[in-house]
Amino acid sequence: MIHHFRLERGGNPSDEGDYECVAQNRFGLVVSRKARIQAATMSDFHVHPQATVGEEGGVARFQCQIHGLPKPLITWEKNRVPVDTDNERYTLLPKGVLQITGLRAEDSGIFHCVASNIASIRISHGARLTVSGSGSGAYKEPAILVGPENLTLTVHQTAVLECVATGNPRPIVSWSRLDGRPIGVEGIQVLGTGNLIISDVTVQHSGVYVCAANRPGTRVRRTAQGRLVVQAPAEFVQHPQSISRPAGTTAMFTCQAQGEPPPHVTWLKNGQVLGPGGHVRLKNNNSTLTISGIGPEDEAIYQCVAENSAGSSQASARLTVLWAEGLPGPPRNVQAVSVSSTEVRVSWSEPLANTKEIIGYVLHIRKAADPPELEYQEAVSKSTFQHLVSDLEPSTAYSFYIKAYTPRGASSASVPTLASTLGEAPAPPPLSVRLLGSSSLQLLWEPWPRLAQHEGGFKLFYRPASKTSFTGPILLPGTVSSYNLSQLDPTAVYEVKLLAYNQHGDGNATVRFVSLRGASERTALSPPCDCRKEEAANQTSTTGIVIGIHIGVTCIIFCVLFLLFGQRGRVLLCKDVDMKELEQLFPPAGAAGQPDPRPTDPAAPAPCEETQLSMLPLQGCGLMEGKTAEATAPCAGLAAAPPPPGGGPGLLSEGQAARPAEARVTQPAHSEQ
């Protein structure tokens, strides 16, 4: 009980803050969840109601906002008289909003907002409501004056989603969820003409809510939306359980909590925050606590504390360490001595008491820089008091401790001891060689950053195979992975040698023999890749392929068109043609060696002039090279009609006979091709 609660004034501490209850006995200590105490306050109004003018039958809305602890209760006064809350046209929302629907002349007046809590009472400035004459009755599109705001609440609170709509005729207000899920009916009500009230909210109520104002009988609508976020304090899905474990074994506690937002889990040991380290490990977002190699000092009460912005919760469990009677003490005089770069010999002495039941020892090994969970063990016979640990890394510090085991349990751990393996010279580095030209080459290998940590690097030597002395050493840092040799003899064979070194000396070398003979010819035949030229060539090749495809398609189209039009028909226009040329080009069948009965007077007019053809239809008429007119049977009945008066062209018609030389119309084979 705090009788005279005070705030911080004049350097005196404040009674505000988070309080915890602590309970303790010989088995341990527990801490309650936090309780926050704050001073009741009331600020000034930061939003006052504003004067409003409305038409009869319309809607008026006043709003005020003020901060306080606890949350102030908001009421309204009209002309210094409390507003009648039984009037269905007056809607008071908890967030400080007054809505008046179906305005009437008697609603005019001055309205005040009144806020009160245990700290104080505040009254806002007055706001006048003026109600004008009745509306014109003209059609007005539906409109939403005020839509729902984004809200963040805690479970079990009440959500008020405001929606004020106007229009003529009065629009119908409806609510839905943006994700399509049903809003439900339990704890849901509509306040006034369109405000949605959700009582006792849960996490499932979180979502985006859409207010829609519809013109009656039509699909004309206006919408507004707001997001509701419901937070839930942390609560446990799985509580930690009290356990009893023999000394030297592993104890594990599991604690799972849920909430919105997801809670953060911390662990306490006898009221003190417990972090990972030593033989304590936290996994799965701190939901699992593991204590390895437990001893008497680990016996305590462990608490799991889950906390988020909506609240906190705690659960506790006790660890009891079972200490069997007659267990041996810890092994003594543990020493570790480096034998080589990969081996350490560990020795110890027998425990002082209860040694008859010892069945063996377990040696615990890990790198000194590694966490305890990377530790591993090796078993040792009960009659052996030393053990050679092998397969270790050179120049590395290791930690060792040992336990004695009996059928009833393990002894406590010995005092840990440290030892570092000896260093050694590095292994031969892998080396590859690439020719760059007739007188240059490139050496490639893997970088070894650890060499720099041990004052090391690489040494490079090279020489012509015909000589006895090397050029070098060329000293290179451990982070380098290549080196170029140039100005070499193109006709020589070179010996290249690369080795790594550190503070322990030089390692074995990797040797390569490289022949540069004929490299110039190989370079000429296959010059080094110029990526830019190759890229340009690839682009040119691609362009050429595309152009070639276009040309090929065009040629195919022209060939098809030529064949189609060539088979449709042919026209023979004969004018001033020398008959001798026609006879030479188209000799009549069977006329070889016989005199031509036709006149050969060059002055005589050509037969084609007597019967000029404007068009010869080829339907049913086969044009065959090297065939006589008789062979074209379908055309045998076609003759040349005499020219009409005026010398116009004549058309071959049925029933008119034509002379063989005139009726025979063929085409040379080479022109078809």
Side-chain angles (χ1 to χ4, degrees), residues 332-337 345-349 385-387 417:
R332 300 173 299 117
N333 303 325
V334 179
Q335 296 180 355
V337 178
R345 177 173 283 106
V346 182
S347 61
W348 61 94
S349 299
F385 298 102
Q386 65 176 6
H387 183 69
T417 184

Side-chain angles (χ1 to χ4, degrees), residues 336-350:
V337 178
S338 297
V339 176
S340 69
S341 60
T342 59
E343 295 176 325
V344 172
R345 177 173 283 106
V346 182
S347 61
W348 61 94
S349 299
E350 196 176 40

Side-chain angles (χ1 to χ4, degrees), residues 137-163:
Y139 168 75
K140 291 183 180 179
E141 288 281 345
I144 295 179
L145 295 181
V146 180
E149 297 178 344
N150 296 332
L151 295 177
T152 300
L153 303 175
T154 305
V155 291
H156 308 307
Q157 290 184 327
T158 298
V160 179
L161 300 174
E162 184 181 10
C163 187

Side-chain angles (χ1 to χ4, degrees), residues 308-340:
N308 64 6
S309 58
S312 65
S313 186
Q314 66 85 26
S316 60
R318 181 185 172 198
L319 172 61
T320 302
V321 179
L322 302 177
W323 191 260
E325 295 293 335
L327 288 178
R332 300 173 299 117
N333 303 325
V334 179
Q335 296 180 355
V337 178
S338 297
V339 176
S340 69

Side-chain angles (χ1 to χ4, degrees), residues 55-114:
E55 297 178 346
E56 285 192 8
V59 177
R61 178 182 182 271
F62 295 104
Q63 180 180 12
C64 66
Q65 289 184 3
I66 189 172
H67 290 310
L69 283 175
K71 186 177 180 180
L73 174 66
I74 304 295
T75 59
W76 289 87
E77 294 180 351
K78 174 188 173 184
N79 298 330
R80 296 297 182 177
V81 177
V83 169
D84 183 8
T85 56
D86 294 332
N87 191 332
E88 294 182 353
R89 297 186 301 108
Y90 284 68
T91 302
L92 280 70
L93 301 184
K95 64 177 183 177
V97 172
L98 171 63
Q99 299 173 356
I100 307 174
T101 59
L103 287 175
R104 300 174 184 173
E106 60 265 25
D107 295 324
S108 298
I110 298 177
F111 289 80
H112 291 84
C113 173
V114 180

Side-chain angles (χ1 to χ4, degrees), residues 389-437:
V389 184
S390 57
D391 296 329
L392 303 178
E393 295 184 8
S395 303
T396 304
Y398 285 86
S399 172
F400 305 92
Y401 69 90
I402 193 167
K403 291 182 180 181
Y405 277 79
T406 70
R408 291 185 291 174
S411 71
S412 56
S414 68
V415 177
T417 184
L418 295 175
S420 296
T421 54
L422 300 177
E424 64 177 359
L431 176 64
S432 60
V433 182
R434 192 176 84 179
L435 293 177
L436 299 179

Side-chain angles (χ1 to χ4, degrees), residues 200-213:
D200 194 20
V201 294
T202 64
V203 174
Q204 287 70 31
H205 286 121
S206 296
V208 177
Y209 288 79
V210 181
C211 165

